[in-house]
Amino acid sequence: TQLLEQSPQFLSIQEGENLTVYCNSSSVFSSLQWYRQEPGEGPVLLVTVVTGGEVKKLKRLTFQFGDARKDSSLHITAAQPGDTGLYLCAGASYNTDKLIFGTGTRLQVFP
Amino acid sequence: DVKVTQSSRYLVKRTGEKVFLECVQDMDHENMFWYRQDPGLGLRLIYFSYDVKMKEKGDIPEGYSVSREKKERFSLILESASTNQTSMYLCASTPGTSDSDTQYFGPGTRLTVL
């Protein structure tokens, strides 16, 4: 079974701090997506990365796909309370036709 | 705007009851998915469907079945609910058959089985 491990599982920080969330696997993925889920809602896509080493920026969020396409990171600069939520990575596998979701990182940003 | 709706936000059922969870998408998407979400486990795929009347097992299909009689509607059925099926259930749809397609999720149904 393919696994996508995210770390940390929980993160509680003050507004203005920086943070990084990691998504790791022993499997290679053709692409990787990051979703954010707010309380009471379903996950919403933030970004898709498809090329090894690719870096994408979405305002204060920076996403990187590992060179070997086995891992990814999400860096948030100057976190704000509106960034609070559950962050999920999801990998598209070469071996199956399904998306594999990570274990999730719950972020709480306090004012 | 893309919209996926689920029939209930909260459900409480008793052990042994038959439970129906309904999902409707208004985007004419081909593919629909049912996941369950549990803390620390992320989203786990229960069943998915690439076409009307077509279904495929996901990673954890035991204790569940599905029905897709119309393109826009995908139902998840718990034939005899058990307490270990207490969870958040999320429905999603995608437009095509590529794994990198955006998954559009409904708001979820939080099911409690007593």
Side-chain angles (χ1 to χ4, degrees), chain B residues 58-102:
Chain B
D59 298 316
I60 51 165
E62 297 78 19
Y64 304 94
S65 62
V66 289
S67 172
R68 193 164 181 205
E69 296 296 319
K70 293 184 178 182
K71 189 175 184 180
E72 67 270 19
R73 188 180 298 269
F74 192 34
S75 303
L76 179 69
I77 303 151
L78 287 66
E79 294 289 342
S80 178
S82 62
T83 54
N84 63 14
Q85 292 178 309
T86 290
S87 186
M88 169 70 86
Y89 289 87
L90 288 165
C91 174
S93 70
T94 64
T97 55
S98 169
D99 295 333
S100 60
D101 280 346
T102 301

Side-chain angles (χ1 to χ4, degrees), chain A residues 32-45:
Chain A
L32 196 131
Q33 300 176 337
W34 283 92
Y35 291 80
R36 179 169 65 210
Q37 183 179 17
E38 297 182 12
E41 301 296 331
V44 175
L45 181 72

Side-chain angles (χ1 to χ4, degrees), chain B residues 32-70:
Chain B
M32 297 187 75
F33 306 81
W34 274 106
Y35 296 90
R36 65 176 283 175
Q37 182 175 30
D38 300 289
L41 297 178
L43 273 64
R44 292 181 291 165
L45 182 63
I46 304 171
Y47 267 97
F48 59 104
S49 169
Y50 285 147
D51 201 353
V52 175
K53 296 191 185 295
M54 175 272 178
K55 60 185 178 185
E56 296 252 1
K57 291 180 180 179
D59 298 316
I60 51 165
E62 297 78 19
Y64 304 94
S65 62
V66 289
S67 172
R68 193 164 181 205
E69 296 296 319
K70 293 184 178 182

Side-chain angles (χ1 to χ4, degrees), chain A residues 2-3 5 7-8 26 28-29 35 41-42 45 50-52 54 57 61 76-77 86 89-90 95 102:
Chain A
Q2 292 173 296
L3 286 174
E5 296 286 341
S7 61
S26 57
V28 177
F29 294 101
Y35 291 80
E41 301 296 331
L45 181 72
V50 296
T51 306
E54 181 178 2
K57 292 194 175 185
L61 279 60
I76 301 179
T77 304
L86 178 69
C89 61
N95 299 325

Side-chain angles (χ1 to χ4, degrees), chain A residues 11-97:
Chain A
L11 199 49
S12 198
I13 61 173
Q14 292 294 128
E15 183 176 2
E17 290 185 40
N18 301 332
L19 66 115
T20 303
V21 176
Y22 299 94
C23 173
N24 294 296
S25 176
S26 57
S27 303
V28 177
F29 294 101
S30 60
S31 65
L32 196 131
Q33 300 176 337
W34 283 92
Y35 291 80
R36 179 169 65 210
Q37 183 179 17
E38 297 182 12
E41 301 296 331
V44 175
L45 181 72
L46 295 172
V47 77
T48 300
V49 285
V50 296
T51 306
E54 181 178 2
V55 177
K56 275 192 175 178
K57 292 194 175 185
L58 190 67
K59 296 184 181 177
R60 294 175 295 98
L61 279 60
T62 302
F63 304 85
Q64 183 161 10
F65 200 12
D67 291 340
R69 311 167 77 98
K70 293 182 179 182
D71 55 86
S72 181
S73 63
L74 157 59
H75 182 79
I76 301 179
T77 304
Q80 298 177 1
D83 296 326
T84 292
L86 178 69
Y87 289 81
L88 293 159
C89 61
S93 171
Y94 286 110
N95 299 325
T96 73
D97 52 4

